[in-house]
Amino acid sequence: MAKTVKMADIAEMMNVSVVTVSKALSGQKGVSEEVREKIVKLAAEMGYKQPSALKLARSRKSYNIGVLVSDRFLDKYKSFYWEMYQEVAQRALHKDCFTMLEVLGIEDEKSLVLPKLLQEEKVDGMIVIGLLCDKYLEMLGSSVKTPLVYLDFYDKRHECDAIITDNYYGMYKLTNYLFDMGHTQIAYVGTLLSTGSIMDRYFGYAKSLLEHGQNTREEWIVEDRDPVTGRSDLGFELQLPAKMPTAFVCNCDLAASQLIKKLKENSYRVPEDISVVGFDNYLYPGLCDVEITTYEVDMKEMARKSINNLLRKISGEYYKQGVTIVEGHIVLKDSVNRKKIS
């Protein structure tokens, strides 16, 4: 019979303490990544099995998780929400769960058609990515017993469990950065009332303007999508204001790329003439030849929290209810210049 490999055997081979091996294998702090990787690799080669591994495998239950996203968020380019879905799917797989994606058609959303995954009871829980209309959310909240978690938005009318990025302070910080770079004439790109994220980011922008003694100007609120369909790729064309600011803050990087294209068509250079910032730090390759300064959304952490909360909700375990905000950070690139003092 083969000898059972113990932590002490690994510690002896690595010339480290048993405590170091234990920390490395359990993912605890106090061990460098280089040493942790060597210990994990050696443990696998030696055939080490953690005492709790078998017990954990037996106790962990696999669930089917539905993911619902509106068709209007899936533009002709690979969308931000498609990337977010992939992060959710990977996190679910890590938890021995499987995901099923359902795209909600615009007409089905208007007609309040329940997702097929819920109609046919194919999933144990569902993550909804992206804001849906109020009536549809009301239907989900009142008639669906399947556990739900909203991702990248929250239901402003009803209690819900949701994971969102730091929209308000993220845009507040970006706008402050433009003021730090000498800009005072700053416009906002985003169709107001289209999504909660666009509104939260607008209010962050407005807060920064007011704190710097500037008022918001209606002519400097530029629509980036059709206010009815919510689409930016079906014949919609972004319009520049008659009197130009020196900088724009855009509610997402896709809007920023469309703005930069429009600016170039009108002989404005970015960042030499006009500075532009975006949001998300996600853009389909080839859409823009200017690297856009932006606020990076931590998609991996948002996906992790949404899956973890949903699994706890399904199994009846304790979890943090309500809206959870995941912080991101500014990523400085090439789309902002310091404004020259005239």
PDB file of all heavy atoms in Angstrom, residues 91-118:
ATOM      1  N   ARG A  91     -16.721  31.630 -12.920  1.00  0.00           N
ATOM      2  CA  ARG A  91     -16.830  31.560 -11.456  1.00  0.00           C
ATOM      3  C   ARG A  91     -17.785  30.444 -11.040  1.00  0.00           C
ATOM      4  O   ARG A  91     -17.532  29.730 -10.060  1.00  0.00           O
ATOM      5  CB  ARG A  91     -17.316  32.900 -10.906  1.00  0.00           C
ATOM      6  CG  ARG A  91     -17.329  32.964  -9.385  1.00  0.00           C
ATOM      7  CD  ARG A  91     -15.937  32.812  -8.830  1.00  0.00           C
ATOM      8  NE  ARG A  91     -15.963  32.525  -7.392  1.00  0.00           N
ATOM      9  CZ  ARG A  91     -14.901  32.258  -6.645  1.00  0.00           C
ATOM     10  NH1 ARG A  91     -13.708  32.239  -7.210  1.00  0.00           N
ATOM     11  NH2 ARG A  91     -15.009  32.023  -5.362  1.00  0.00           N
ATOM     12  N   ALA A  92     -18.870  30.283 -11.786  1.00  0.00           N
ATOM     13  CA  ALA A  92     -19.822  29.212 -11.485  1.00  0.00           C
ATOM     14  C   ALA A  92     -19.167  27.843 -11.650  1.00  0.00           C
ATOM     15  O   ALA A  92     -19.353  26.938 -10.826  1.00  0.00           O
ATOM     16  CB  ALA A  92     -21.035  29.328 -12.402  1.00  0.00           C
ATOM     17  N   LEU A  93     -18.389  27.690 -12.718  1.00  0.00           N
ATOM     18  CA  LEU A  93     -17.701  26.419 -12.969  1.00  0.00           C
ATOM     19  C   LEU A  93     -16.723  26.107 -11.845  1.00  0.00           C
ATOM     20  O   LEU A  93     -16.563  24.949 -11.445  1.00  0.00           O
ATOM     21  CB  LEU A  93     -16.961  26.499 -14.312  1.00  0.00           C
ATOM     22  CG  LEU A  93     -16.492  25.172 -14.918  1.00  0.00           C
ATOM     23  CD1 LEU A  93     -17.674  24.238 -15.161  1.00  0.00           C
ATOM     24  CD2 LEU A  93     -15.737  25.432 -16.214  1.00  0.00           C
ATOM     25  N   HIS A  94     -16.089  27.150 -11.330  1.00  0.00           N
ATOM     26  CA  HIS A  94     -15.173  26.984 -10.196  1.00  0.00           C
ATOM     27  C   HIS A  94     -15.910  26.445  -8.968  1.00  0.00           C
ATOM     28  O   HIS A  94     -15.313  25.780  -8.114  1.00  0.00           O
ATOM     29  CB  HIS A  94     -14.527  28.331  -9.869  1.00  0.00           C
ATOM     30  CG  HIS A  94     -13.546  28.293  -8.746  1.00  0.00           C
ATOM     31  ND1 HIS A  94     -12.290  27.725  -8.861  1.00  0.00           N
ATOM     32  CD2 HIS A  94     -13.630  28.741  -7.462  1.00  0.00           C
ATOM     33  CE1 HIS A  94     -11.647  27.823  -7.699  1.00  0.00           C
ATOM     34  NE2 HIS A  94     -12.445  28.439  -6.839  1.00  0.00           N
ATOM     35  N   LYS A  95     -17.190  26.741  -8.887  1.00  0.00           N
ATOM     36  CA  LYS A  95     -18.023  26.262  -7.781  1.00  0.00           C
ATOM     37  C   LYS A  95     -18.794  24.992  -8.152  1.00  0.00           C
ATOM     38  O   LYS A  95     -19.763  24.626  -7.479  1.00  0.00           O
ATOM     39  CB  LYS A  95     -19.025  27.359  -7.380  1.00  0.00           C
ATOM     40  CG  LYS A  95     -18.384  28.573  -6.744  1.00  0.00           C
ATOM     41  CD  LYS A  95     -17.939  28.281  -5.327  1.00  0.00           C
ATOM     42  CE  LYS A  95     -17.505  29.543  -4.601  1.00  0.00           C
ATOM     43  NZ  LYS A  95     -17.125  29.270  -3.197  1.00  0.00           N
ATOM     44  N   ASP A  96     -18.361  24.316  -9.227  1.00  0.00           N
ATOM     45  CA  ASP A  96     -19.001  23.083  -9.699  1.00  0.00           C
ATOM     46  C   ASP A  96     -20.446  23.300 -10.126  1.00  0.00           C
ATOM     47  O   ASP A  96     -21.289  22.406 -10.008  1.00  0.00           O
ATOM     48  CB  ASP A  96     -18.938  21.987  -8.621  1.00  0.00           C
ATOM     49  CG  ASP A  96     -17.514  21.581  -8.307  1.00  0.00           C
ATOM     50  OD1 ASP A  96     -16.667  21.644  -9.216  1.00  0.00           O
ATOM     51  OD2 ASP A  96     -17.240  21.197  -7.155  1.00  0.00           O
ATOM     52  N   CYS A  97     -20.737  24.489 -10.627  1.00  0.00           N
ATOM     53  CA  CYS A  97     -22.079  24.803 -11.114  1.00  0.00           C
ATOM     54  C   CYS A  97     -22.027  25.098 -12.612  1.00  0.00           C
ATOM     55  O   CYS A  97     -20.969  25.383 -13.163  1.00  0.00           O
ATOM     56  CB  CYS A  97     -22.659  26.003 -10.368  1.00  0.00           C
ATOM     57  SG  CYS A  97     -22.911  25.724  -8.596  1.00  0.00           S
ATOM     58  N   PHE A  98     -23.176  25.021 -13.248  1.00  0.00           N
ATOM     59  CA  PHE A  98     -23.261  25.258 -14.680  1.00  0.00           C
ATOM     60  C   PHE A  98     -24.194  26.439 -14.956  1.00  0.00           C
ATOM     61  O   PHE A  98     -25.187  26.636 -14.255  1.00  0.00           O
ATOM     62  CB  PHE A  98     -23.774  24.007 -15.401  1.00  0.00           C
ATOM     63  CG  PHE A  98     -22.877  22.816 -15.225  1.00  0.00           C
ATOM     64  CD1 PHE A  98     -23.110  21.895 -14.213  1.00  0.00           C
ATOM     65  CD2 PHE A  98     -21.779  22.631 -16.051  1.00  0.00           C
ATOM     66  CE1 PHE A  98     -22.273  20.801 -14.029  1.00  0.00           C
ATOM     67  CE2 PHE A  98     -20.941  21.546 -15.888  1.00  0.00           C
ATOM     68  CZ  PHE A  98     -21.178  20.634 -14.871  1.00  0.00           C
ATOM     69  N   THR A  99     -23.853  27.214 -15.986  1.00  0.00           N
ATOM     70  CA  THR A  99     -24.677  28.367 -16.336  1.00  0.00           C
ATOM     71  C   THR A  99     -25.399  28.130 -17.659  1.00  0.00           C
ATOM     72  O   THR A  99     -24.893  27.445 -18.548  1.00  0.00           O
ATOM     73  CB  THR A  99     -23.830  29.647 -16.458  1.00  0.00           C
ATOM     74  OG1 THR A  99     -22.764  29.422 -17.380  1.00  0.00           O
ATOM     75  CG2 THR A  99     -23.275  30.059 -15.116  1.00  0.00           C
ATOM     76  N   MET A 100     -26.591  28.714 -17.766  1.00  0.00           N
ATOM     77  CA  MET A 100     -27.355  28.695 -19.008  1.00  0.00           C
ATOM     78  C   MET A 100     -27.746  30.129 -19.322  1.00  0.00           C
ATOM     79  O   MET A 100     -28.395  30.789 -18.509  1.00  0.00           O
ATOM     80  CB  MET A 100     -28.615  27.844 -18.856  1.00  0.00           C
ATOM     81  CG  MET A 100     -28.330  26.382 -18.598  1.00  0.00           C
ATOM     82  SD  MET A 100     -29.870  25.425 -18.516  1.00  0.00           S
ATOM     83  CE  MET A 100     -29.534  24.415 -17.091  1.00  0.00           C
ATOM     84  N   LEU A 101     -27.343  30.608 -20.499  1.00  0.00           N
ATOM     85  CA  LEU A 101     -27.616  31.989 -20.900  1.00  0.00           C
ATOM     86  C   LEU A 101     -28.919  32.074 -21.677  1.00  0.00           C
ATOM     87  O   LEU A 101     -29.163  31.286 -22.587  1.00  0.00           O
ATOM     88  CB  LEU A 101     -26.473  32.515 -21.770  1.00  0.00           C
ATOM     89  CG  LEU A 101     -26.661  33.909 -22.371  1.00  0.00           C
ATOM     90  CD1 LEU A 101     -26.698  34.966 -21.277  1.00  0.00           C
ATOM     91  CD2 LEU A 101     -25.542  34.207 -23.366  1.00  0.00           C
ATOM     92  N   GLU A 102     -29.754  33.050 -21.323  1.00  0.00           N
ATOM     93  CA  GLU A 102     -30.954  33.353 -22.094  1.00  0.00           C
ATOM     94  C   GLU A 102     -30.963  34.838 -22.435  1.00  0.00           C
ATOM     95  O   GLU A 102     -30.811  35.684 -21.548  1.00  0.00           O
ATOM     96  CB  GLU A 102     -32.223  32.988 -21.331  1.00  0.00           C
ATOM     97  CG  GLU A 102     -33.493  33.269 -22.126  1.00  0.00           C
ATOM     98  CD  GLU A 102     -34.753  32.693 -21.496  1.00  0.00           C
ATOM     99  OE1 GLU A 102     -34.640  31.848 -20.593  1.00  0.00           O
ATOM    100  OE2 GLU A 102     -35.857  33.106 -21.911  1.00  0.00           O
ATOM    101  N   VAL A 103     -31.105  35.139 -23.723  1.00  0.00           N
ATOM    102  CA  VAL A 103     -31.184  36.521 -24.179  1.00  0.00           C
ATOM    103  C   VAL A 103     -32.651  36.923 -24.255  1.00  0.00           C
ATOM    104  O   VAL A 103     -33.445  36.277 -24.945  1.00  0.00           O
ATOM    105  CB  VAL A 103     -30.502  36.690 -25.553  1.00  0.00           C
ATOM    106  CG1 VAL A 103     -30.645  38.133 -26.035  1.00  0.00           C
ATOM    107  CG2 VAL A 103     -29.022  36.304 -25.472  1.00  0.00           C
ATOM    108  N   LEU A 104     -33.004  37.968 -23.538  1.00  0.00           N
ATOM    109  CA  LEU A 104     -34.388  38.435 -23.482  1.00  0.00           C
ATOM    110  C   LEU A 104     -34.648  39.409 -24.623  1.00  0.00           C
ATOM    111  O   LEU A 104     -34.022  40.478 -24.690  1.00  0.00           O
ATOM    112  CB  LEU A 104     -34.663  39.104 -22.133  1.00  0.00           C
ATOM    113  CG  LEU A 104     -36.071  39.653 -21.908  1.00  0.00           C
ATOM    114  CD1 LEU A 104     -37.088  38.519 -21.882  1.00  0.00           C
ATOM    115  CD2 LEU A 104     -36.131  40.461 -20.608  1.00  0.00           C
ATOM    116  N   GLY A 105     -35.538  39.051 -25.532  1.00  0.00           N
ATOM    117  CA  GLY A 105     -35.880  39.928 -26.649  1.00  0.00           C
ATOM    118  C   GLY A 105     -36.617  41.168 -26.184  1.00  0.00           C
ATOM    119  O   GLY A 105     -37.304  41.146 -25.150  1.00  0.00           O
ATOM    120  N   ILE A 106     -36.483  42.238 -26.944  1.00  0.00           N
ATOM    121  CA  ILE A 106     -37.108  43.505 -26.571  1.00  0.00           C
ATOM    122  C   ILE A 106     -38.634  43.369 -26.484  1.00  0.00           C
ATOM    123  O   ILE A 106     -39.267  43.886 -25.554  1.00  0.00           O
ATOM    124  CB  ILE A 106     -36.713  44.610 -27.571  1.00  0.00           C
ATOM    125  CG1 ILE A 106     -35.209  44.890 -27.468  1.00  0.00           C
ATOM    126  CG2 ILE A 106     -37.505  45.893 -27.310  1.00  0.00           C
ATOM    127  CD1 ILE A 106     -34.675  45.868 -28.489  1.00  0.00           C
ATOM    128  N   GLU A 107     -39.235  42.647 -27.430  1.00  0.00           N
ATOM    129  CA  GLU A 107     -40.689  42.460 -27.413  1.00  0.00           C
ATOM    130  C   GLU A 107     -41.128  41.603 -26.235  1.00  0.00           C
ATOM    131  O   GLU A 107     -42.171  41.859 -25.623  1.00  0.00           O
ATOM    132  CB  GLU A 107     -41.163  41.836 -28.732  1.00  0.00           C
ATOM    133  CG  GLU A 107     -41.092  42.780 -29.922  1.00  0.00           C
ATOM    134  CD  GLU A 107     -41.866  44.076 -29.690  1.00  0.00           C
ATOM    135  OE1 GLU A 107     -42.991  43.998 -29.147  1.00  0.00           O
ATOM    136  OE2 GLU A 107     -41.343  45.150 -30.022  1.00  0.00           O
ATOM    137  N   ASP A 108     -40.355  40.568 -25.907  1.00  0.00           N
ATOM    138  CA  ASP A 108     -40.680  39.726 -24.753  1.00  0.00           C
ATOM    139  C   ASP A 108     -40.596  40.525 -23.454  1.00  0.00           C
ATOM    140  O   ASP A 108     -41.394  40.308 -22.529  1.00  0.00           O
ATOM    141  CB  ASP A 108     -39.735  38.524 -24.680  1.00  0.00           C
ATOM    142  CG  ASP A 108     -40.086  37.455 -25.708  1.00  0.00           C
ATOM    143  OD1 ASP A 108     -41.182  37.531 -26.287  1.00  0.00           O
ATOM    144  OD2 ASP A 108     -39.256  36.540 -25.919  1.00  0.00           O
ATOM    145  N   GLU A 109     -39.647  41.449 -23.404  1.00  0.00           N
ATOM    146  CA  GLU A 109     -39.528  42.300 -22.216  1.00  0.00           C
ATOM    147  C   GLU A 109     -40.750  43.216 -22.103  1.00  0.00           C
ATOM    148  O   GLU A 109     -41.326  43.363 -21.016  1.00  0.00           O
ATOM    149  CB  GLU A 109     -38.243  43.131 -22.293  1.00  0.00           C
ATOM    150  CG  GLU A 109     -38.011  43.999 -21.066  1.00  0.00           C
ATOM    151  CD  GLU A 109     -36.720  44.789 -21.131  1.00  0.00           C
ATOM    152  OE1 GLU A 109     -35.908  44.552 -22.058  1.00  0.00           O
ATOM    153  OE2 GLU A 109     -36.528  45.663 -20.257  1.00  0.00           O
ATOM    154  N   LYS A 110     -41.163  43.811 -23.218  1.00  0.00           N
ATOM    155  CA  LYS A 110     -42.340  44.687 -23.201  1.00  0.00           C
ATOM    156  C   LYS A 110     -43.608  43.916 -22.854  1.00  0.00           C
ATOM    157  O   LYS A 110     -44.488  44.427 -22.155  1.00  0.00           O
ATOM    158  CB  LYS A 110     -42.509  45.351 -24.573  1.00  0.00           C
ATOM    159  CG  LYS A 110     -41.479  46.415 -24.896  1.00  0.00           C
ATOM    160  CD  LYS A 110     -41.748  47.008 -26.276  1.00  0.00           C
ATOM    161  CE  LYS A 110     -40.728  48.078 -26.633  1.00  0.00           C
ATOM    162  NZ  LYS A 110     -40.947  48.600 -28.007  1.00  0.00           N
ATOM    163  N   SER A 111     -43.707  42.659 -23.348  1.00  0.00           N
ATOM    164  CA  SER A 111     -44.912  41.844 -23.140  1.00  0.00           C
ATOM    165  C   SER A 111     -44.882  41.077 -21.832  1.00  0.00           C
ATOM    166  O   SER A 111     -45.800  40.292 -21.547  1.00  0.00           O
ATOM    167  CB  SER A 111     -45.081  40.867 -24.309  1.00  0.00           C
ATOM    168  OG  SER A 111     -45.140  41.560 -25.542  1.00  0.00           O
ATOM    169  N   LEU A 112     -43.807  41.272 -21.050  1.00  0.00           N
ATOM    170  CA  LEU A 112     -43.660  40.619 -19.741  1.00  0.00           C
ATOM    171  C   LEU A 112     -43.693  39.090 -19.866  1.00  0.00           C
ATOM    172  O   LEU A 112     -44.378  38.399 -19.103  1.00  0.00           O
ATOM    173  CB  LEU A 112     -44.744  41.102 -18.776  1.00  0.00           C
ATOM    174  CG  LEU A 112     -44.850  42.614 -18.570  1.00  0.00           C
ATOM    175  CD1 LEU A 112     -45.918  42.944 -17.551  1.00  0.00           C
ATOM    176  CD2 LEU A 112     -43.499  43.195 -18.142  1.00  0.00           C
ATOM    177  N   VAL A 113     -42.950  38.575 -20.842  1.00  0.00           N
ATOM    178  CA  VAL A 113     -42.839  37.129 -21.025  1.00  0.00           C
ATOM    179  C   VAL A 113     -41.762  36.595 -20.092  1.00  0.00           C
ATOM    180  O   VAL A 113     -40.606  37.015 -20.146  1.00  0.00           O
ATOM    181  CB  VAL A 113     -42.496  36.779 -22.489  1.00  0.00           C
ATOM    182  CG1 VAL A 113     -42.328  35.273 -22.648  1.00  0.00           C
ATOM    183  CG2 VAL A 113     -43.580  37.297 -23.424  1.00  0.00           C
ATOM    184  N   LEU A 114     -42.131  35.660 -19.245  1.00  0.00           N
ATOM    185  CA  LEU A 114     -41.203  35.088 -18.287  1.00  0.00           C
ATOM    186  C   LEU A 114     -40.104  34.320 -19.022  1.00  0.00           C
ATOM    187  O   LEU A 114     -40.380  33.636 -20.021  1.00  0.00           O
ATOM    188  CB  LEU A 114     -41.958  34.139 -17.348  1.00  0.00           C
ATOM    189  CG  LEU A 114     -41.282  33.781 -16.019  1.00  0.00           C
ATOM    190  CD1 LEU A 114     -41.170  35.006 -15.122  1.00  0.00           C
ATOM    191  CD2 LEU A 114     -42.076  32.684 -15.313  1.00  0.00           C
ATOM    192  N   PRO A 115     -38.845  34.416 -18.585  1.00  0.00           N
ATOM    193  CA  PRO A 115     -37.767  33.670 -19.238  1.00  0.00           C
ATOM    194  C   PRO A 115     -38.086  32.171 -19.304  1.00  0.00           C
ATOM    195  O   PRO A 115     -38.619  31.604 -18.346  1.00  0.00           O
ATOM    196  CB  PRO A 115     -36.553  33.939 -18.343  1.00  0.00           C
ATOM    197  CG  PRO A 115     -36.864  35.221 -17.655  1.00  0.00           C
ATOM    198  CD  PRO A 115     -38.347  35.232 -17.463  1.00  0.00           C
ATOM    199  N   LYS A 116     -37.738  31.537 -20.414  1.00  0.00           N
ATOM    200  CA  LYS A 116     -38.014  30.116 -20.587  1.00  0.00           C
ATOM    201  C   LYS A 116     -37.314  29.271 -19.535  1.00  0.00           C
ATOM    202  O   LYS A 116     -37.818  28.229 -19.109  1.00  0.00           O
ATOM    203  CB  LYS A 116     -37.599  29.672 -21.995  1.00  0.00           C
ATOM    204  CG  LYS A 116     -38.534  30.165 -23.096  1.00  0.00           C
ATOM    205  CD  LYS A 116     -38.117  29.629 -24.446  1.00  0.00           C
ATOM    206  CE  LYS A 116     -39.146  29.970 -25.527  1.00  0.00           C
ATOM    207  NZ  LYS A 116     -39.368  31.410 -25.678  1.00  0.00           N
ATOM    208  N   LEU A 117     -36.139  29.719 -19.112  1.00  0.00           N
ATOM    209  CA  LEU A 117     -35.405  28.976 -18.089  1.00  0.00           C
ATOM    210  C   LEU A 117     -36.199  28.900 -16.791  1.00  0.00           C
ATOM    211  O   LEU A 117     -36.109  27.901 -16.054  1.00  0.00           O
ATOM    212  CB  LEU A 117     -34.050  29.640 -17.823  1.00  0.00           C
ATOM    213  CG  LEU A 117     -33.009  29.543 -18.945  1.00  0.00           C
ATOM    214  CD1 LEU A 117     -31.755  30.336 -18.568  1.00  0.00           C
ATOM    215  CD2 LEU A 117     -32.648  28.085 -19.216  1.00  0.00           C
ATOM    216  N   LEU A 118     -36.997  29.940 -16.514  1.00  0.00           N
ATOM    217  CA  LEU A 118     -37.840  29.933 -15.318  1.00  0.00           C
ATOM    218  C   LEU A 118     -39.166  29.235 -15.581  1.00  0.00           C
ATOM    219  O   LEU A 118     -39.673  28.503 -14.722  1.00  0.00           O
ATOM    220  CB  LEU A 118     -38.087  31.373 -14.847  1.00  0.00           C
ATOM    221  CG  LEU A 118     -36.853  32.155 -14.384  1.00  0.00           C
ATOM    222  CD1 LEU A 118     -37.246  33.564 -13.948  1.00  0.00           C
ATOM    223  CD2 LEU A 118     -36.144  31.431 -13.238  1.00  0.00           C
TER     224      LEU A 118
END
